[in-house]
């Protein structure tokens, strides 16, 4: 079965499983290995069933479990040169697992073709991913201050798109964060608002997305209903399933039922 399964999503931790055809990969490792094992257990998986871990960037909410992981497992961990260097400063023992690449490069992990895309975030060399293989296509874009044309074109034709819907602009403005932090979050190197997500979601759906997962919601400056409503309003009843990734592990995976429609009408 092919599926997307969110293990954790939000500022306290991010981690997801993508299984397409015979190959499964983990995207980010922002939970403890114990929590990862528990979540995988729910979907009858174990860490050795995974082919690799793909990291987006070095922020703690994306690599929290990495130190324990590299101690226990030999699985390859893909990261950009910049992300790898930032992590190795604090965690040199990760070197044996690392497969480093330049942001923008494409590589293969078993049955999957993985295309990385540079994004705009206050990290060393952050990336988003497009993963093709097994009859499905995933676009995975979180932790970016804006959606560039390059990213939107690259995820064109993906049947499943995970998009950051980090904050509601008004909740951020009136919320508990100090001004400098608000500036960081809504800046070019910060995070996507619900509105920016909705805009990207509409383009993704016009370009073939059948499933959208809203991800990396702030617990202080957003709530699932506000994020969902904002994107659904933009989609105006388009034929697309919309999910909100919970902070903890999903009850069950999102099955990839239909073959993706590889149409591309970007614009
Ligand atoms: Zn980040
Ligand atoms: Zn993050």
């Amino acid at each position: 079965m092919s599926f997307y399964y969110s293990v954790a999503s939000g500022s306290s931790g991010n981690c997801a499983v993508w299984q397409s055809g015979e190959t499964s990969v983990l995207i980010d490792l922002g939970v403890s290995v114990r929590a990862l094992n528990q979540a995988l257990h729910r979907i009858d998986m174990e860490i050795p069933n995974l082919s690799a871990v793909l990291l987006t960037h070095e922020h703690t909410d994306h690599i929290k479990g990495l130190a324990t992981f590299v101690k226990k497992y030999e699985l390859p961990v893909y990261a950009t040169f910049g992300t790898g260097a930032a992590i190795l400063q604090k965690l040199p023992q990760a070197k044996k697992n690392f497969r480093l690449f330049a942001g923008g490069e494409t590589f293969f992990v078993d049955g999957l073709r993985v295309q990385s895309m540079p994004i705009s975030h206050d990290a060393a060399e952050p990336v988003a991913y497009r993963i093709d293989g097994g009859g499905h296509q995933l676009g995975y874009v979180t932790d970016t201050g804006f959606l560039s044309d390059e990213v939107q074109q690259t995820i064109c034709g993906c049947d499943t798109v995970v998009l950051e819907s980090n904050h509601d602009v008004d909740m951020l403005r009136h919320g508990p964060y100090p001004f400098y932090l608000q500036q960081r979050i809504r800046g070019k190197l910060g995070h996507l608002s619900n509105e920016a997500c909705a805009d990207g979601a509409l383009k993704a759906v016009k370009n073939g997305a059948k499933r959208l997962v809203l991800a990396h919601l702030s617990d202080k400056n957003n709530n699932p209903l506000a994020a969902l409503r904002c994107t659904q309003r933009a989609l105006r009843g388009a034929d697309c399933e919309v999910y909100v990734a919970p902070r903890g592990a999903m009850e069950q995976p999102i099955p990839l039922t239909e073959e993706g429609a590889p149409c591309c009408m970007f614009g």
Side-chain angles (χ1 to χ4, degrees), residues 99-110:
R99 308 286 186 274
L100 300 181
F101 61 90
E105 264 182 53
T106 296
F107 49 90
F108 290 84
V109 176
D110 293 339

Side-chain angles (χ1 to χ4, degrees), residues 6 19 32 44 51-52 100 116 149 157 159 166 190 230 244 260 263 266:
S6 180
Q19 174 163 310
S32 68
D44 289 327
S51 288
L100 300 181
S116 66
D149 288 348
D159 62 7
N166 178 259
C230 189
V244 179
C263 67
F266 188 79

Side-chain angles (χ1 to χ4, degrees), residues 14 56-62 119 121-123 126 142-144 164 184 189-191 216:
N14 295 276
T56 58
H57 65 299
E58 73 277 17
H59 288 163
T60 312
D61 56 317
H62 298 259
I119 50 172
H121 191 56
D122 54 356
T142 68
D143 297 73
T144 187
E164 170 168 55
R184 190 214 140 219
L189 297 174
H191 292 274
H216 211 302

Side-chain angles (χ1 to χ4, degrees), residues 41-97:
H41 188 69
R42 279 195 195 182
I43 56 170
D44 289 327
M45 275 186 85
E46 293 177 353
I47 288 173
N49 299 137
L50 299 164
S51 288
V53 180
L54 311 176
L55 297 181
T56 58
H57 65 299
E58 73 277 17
H59 288 163
T60 312
D61 56 317
H62 298 259
I63 63 158
K64 208 180 294 166
L66 193 62
T68 310
F69 187 89
V70 299
K71 213 184 284 176
K72 291 188 172 172
Y73 302 98
E74 299 301 321
L75 278 183
V77 175
Y78 288 83
T80 61
F81 290 114
T83 298
I87 292 171
L88 287 173
Q89 283 179 3
K90 290 179 189 153
L91 192 65
Q93 58 273 36
K95 198 170 178 204
K96 68 177 175 62
N97 299 66

